[in-house]
Amino acid sequence: MRVWKSLRASLPMVAVLAALLLVPAGLAPGGTWRWTEAWLFLGLYGGLAVVGSALLAVYRPESFEVRQQGVVAARERKQPLIDAVGSVIYAAYLASWTVFIPLDVFRLHLLPEPGLPLRIAGLAATVAGGSVAMLAVAQNRFAAPTVQDQSADGQQVVDTGLYGVVRHPLYAGNLLAFAGAALWLGSTAALVGVLGMLGFTLARMHVEESWLRANLPGYAAYAGRVRSRLIPFLI
């Protein structure tokens, strides 16, 4: 039952991702539906998402459930308005960025495409980033998609595992996966576009950490112990 529930959650996401990549690729002048890099990307990243979701549902059901929320939380969760608005804008940006990749690869050619070694490194980064993000969710049952009040769920500071290295491993894994995807799929311009995601992420972290410092006992002390937010010793 839990595995079936995880499939109902993950397969539509993979289908949307496939549509955002393959439909523009197939319809763009000079494009193709037989985009090998995209199909391999969907197989690996989509497979990771499906398997990871199933593992969460079976072995970390609380972590799985908290990730099923949308980008706008229920009113009783007291999500800050700026987070709700920012989450919607970020989701739109991410969708537009995904559509841009095939358009750039087959039509725009805004920047020279990365060479094969960088592409392979990008594919590895995609898998590594997706794995880090999934592990971060597994290690933190309070890793909701939004900034929200989880006091009724017994929220507490998580400072072990990946969270003992950086304060936001989920965001770090996602950014690594996005950068890797841009490289593997062959769009250097999309790689530059990841800087926009980094900007959104930094702004989101500011809002989130301000809320946590004010509302979650022990978070300020945790932030003092684990100073890196995304990359150890750098950010």
Side-chain angles (χ1 to χ4, degrees):
M1 184 65 180
R2 288 179 178 175
V3 173
W4 171 241
K5 188 175 182 178
S6 75
L7 292 177
R8 286 188 298 169
S10 58
L11 288 178
M13 181 274 291
V14 175
V16 169
L17 178 60
L20 291 175
L21 284 173
L22 296 176
V23 172
L27 298 180
T32 177
W33 296 97
R34 298 179 180 180
W35 187 11
T36 303
E37 291 84 357
W39 283 106
L40 182 56
F41 166 78
L42 290 168
L44 287 176
Y45 190 73
L48 179 64
V50 171
V51 173
S53 180
L55 290 174
L56 282 177
V58 173
Y59 296 106
R60 294 288 190 274
E62 291 178 322
S63 293
F64 172 78
E65 290 296 338
V66 80
R67 294 302 300 175
Q68 302 316 301
Q69 302 176 33
V71 296
V72 177
R75 180 173 298 180
E76 62 270 16
R77 291 290 184 173
K78 302 176 183 178
Q79 180 185 17
L81 178 60
I82 190 173
D83 183 67
V85 174
S87 295
V88 172
I89 294 174
Y90 181 73
Y93 181 90
L94 181 57
S96 300
W97 175 84
T98 305
V99 170
F100 169 79
I101 293 177
L103 295 179
D104 184 51
V105 169
F106 294 109
R107 181 66 176 175
L108 301 176
H109 311 291
L110 295 181
L111 294 172
E113 67 181 47
L116 182 59
L118 280 177
R119 284 181 177 239
I120 294 174
L123 186 61
T126 299
V127 175
S131 300
V132 167
M134 195 65 65
L135 182 58
V137 173
Q139 293 178 346
N140 184 2
R141 66 186 181 92
F142 306 108
T146 62
V147 178
Q148 58 178 263
D149 181 7
Q150 298 183 74
S151 57
D153 304 318
Q155 185 178 17
Q156 58 188 358
V157 173
V158 176
D159 59 0
T160 57
L162 295 176
Y163 292 88
V165 181
V166 294
R167 302 202 297 271
H168 299 280
L170 174 56
Y171 298 154
N174 283 338
L175 287 170
L176 179 60
F178 296 148
L183 285 172
W184 167 249
L185 294 172
S187 175
T188 304
L191 179 63
V192 176
V194 175
L195 293 176
M197 298 178 196
L198 176 60
F200 274 112
T201 299
L202 292 174
R204 171 64 175 301
M205 287 192 304
H206 176 74
V207 172
E208 183 174 354
E209 294 211 332
S210 296
W211 196 95
L212 290 171
R213 287 174 188 271
N215 296 279
L216 182 60
Y219 191 84
Y222 163 67
R225 294 193 307 272
V226 180
R227 295 190 172 276
S228 299
R229 293 181 295 170
L230 288 174
I231 304 175
F233 309 112
L234 291 178
I235 303 177

